[in-house]
Amino acid sequence: MEQKYSLPARLKAARKAAGFKTLKEFVEAHKIPPSTYSQHETGRRMPNDEFLQRYAKLLQVNLNWLKLGKGDPYTSKQETINNKNILQEELLDLSEWKSAITPTAIIQESLLAEILKQLLESHTTTALSVKTIANAAAGIYADIVSVEPSPAMQIKLVRTAVLAFKRYLVA
């Protein structure tokens, strides 16, 4: 059975297979804004076709595979046994990590509700799309739960995170 991997997982695996152990190495070598690439690789923001074409070329993988997960990652000309092995190992590592957390991942409704409430309250004068608000909420939620295990402290961090997002919009 063929296993489907997310675009961020394919992007990270391709980067590592191309010899860039860290995100920093890759963005510095190719003059890509670190925050942009980081958001693409973590799935916080999906890259557009222009970025996908650029990444496919830089990482020497097939665009169709990178974008949709269809077909072989490499053409026979581009493929090396070492790159293909690294790519497969990375994808397996990522899928094992994801399967280890997915069944137990429970959304904390009170935290998400508080994030949305504060985002909506603080941006009543700014015309933000639903997608922008949803992306901001998801990003803030992920950041908070990754750094703070205490639900009480998580709620306290929401105000700071929303203010940071607001400052980001103004900048």
Side-chain angles (χ1 to χ4, degrees):
M1 179 175 129
E2 183 178 316
Q3 190 160 13
K4 298 289 181 187
Y5 300 99
S6 68
L7 188 148
R10 292 189 302 273
L11 188 57
K12 182 176 184 177
R15 172 183 52 82
K16 289 192 172 192
F20 297 98
K21 291 182 181 179
T22 66
L23 181 147
K24 185 178 178 181
E25 288 175 12
F26 179 70
V27 298
E28 286 178 355
H30 300 292
K31 298 184 180 15
I32 298 170
S35 63
T36 299
Y37 183 79
S38 173
Q39 289 178 3
H40 291 164
E41 192 174 280
T42 60
R44 289 182 70 186
R45 193 172 103 199
M46 289 315 218
N48 61 26
D49 284 345
E50 185 179 323
F51 274 109
L52 286 171
Q53 289 172 352
R54 184 174 180 195
Y55 295 151
K57 183 178 179 182
L58 294 172
L59 298 169
Q60 299 180 356
V61 295
N62 287 326
L63 176 61
N64 200 38
W65 175 81
L66 183 61
K67 184 176 181 177
L68 305 171
K70 295 182 179 180
D72 290 324
Y74 301 101
T75 62
S76 58
K77 187 168 95 175
Q78 295 168 321
E79 180 183 351
T80 68
I81 292 172
N82 188 43
N83 281 7
K84 195 166 189 174
N85 287 341
I86 292 170
L87 185 73
Q88 199 58 33
E89 287 173 16
E90 287 300 321
L91 288 171
L92 286 174
D93 286 348
L94 289 169
S95 68
E96 288 171 7
W97 176 78
K98 184 178 179 184
S99 67
I101 65 163
T102 301
T104 59
I106 298 172
I107 293 176
Q108 298 169 32
E109 291 177 18
S110 59
L111 176 61
L112 186 56
E114 184 63 24
I115 292 168
L116 288 168
K117 176 184 160 209
Q118 289 194 31
L119 278 172
L120 293 170
E121 285 174 355
S122 69
H123 293 30
T124 54
T125 59
T126 309
L128 295 177
S129 70
V130 171
K131 185 176 180 180
T132 300
I133 293 171
N135 283 337
I140 291 169
Y141 180 91
D143 288 346
I144 290 174
V145 297
S146 70
V147 299
E148 180 55 56
S150 164
M153 286 303 295
Q154 289 173 345
I155 296 291
K156 290 179 181 180
L157 289 172
V158 171
R159 180 168 163 66
T160 304
V162 169
L163 287 173
F165 176 71
K166 192 174 181 179
R167 284 190 204 113
Y168 168 78
L169 288 177
V170 175

